[in-house]
Amino acid sequence: DLPPYDHLSPWLASLYVVPPCRHAGVGRRLVNHAAEFARQQGLSPLYLWTPGSTRMYAECGWQVLGTDISAGRPIAIMQRALG
């Protein structure tokens, strides 16, 4: 869903935490669970893009590959190697 980056795969996408459950570690657990599943499947690295803060992802071991504009808004493209 990010055509200029179709060469990157697989993507972590469409994780959502409802507002009342935010800031309780739910998003971090979802991201880490998905990454562990990908690792068990032999998939590495894993990619994501976000129009928001990269802080939580960075704390989970993700690194910013670069930035771009998508649908008129700035995004960060991130990668996580799964050992």
Side-chain angles (χ1 to χ4, degrees):
D1 75 329
L2 195 58
Y5 299 92
D6 283 344
H7 62 285
L8 302 178
S9 181
W11 289 86
L12 176 70
S14 301
L15 297 179
Y16 180 78
V17 177
V18 295
C21 295
R22 292 180 185 166
H23 307 290
V26 174
R28 185 180 315 270
R29 288 193 301 275
L30 280 171
V31 168
N32 287 331
H33 182 79
E36 176 58 19
F37 178 81
R39 187 195 65 75
Q40 290 174 1
Q41 303 306 307
L43 303 171
S44 183
L46 196 56
Y47 300 92
L48 67 79
W49 66 267
T50 179
S53 173
T54 60
R55 183 174 154 216
M56 187 266 299
Y57 298 111
E59 291 172 353
C60 290
W62 294 78
Q63 297 180 333
V64 175
L65 287 177
T67 58
D68 207 333
I69 302 292
S70 179
R73 62 185 179 189
I75 62 168
I77 301 144
M78 303 185 78
Q79 172 185 8
R80 181 173 172 189
L82 307 173

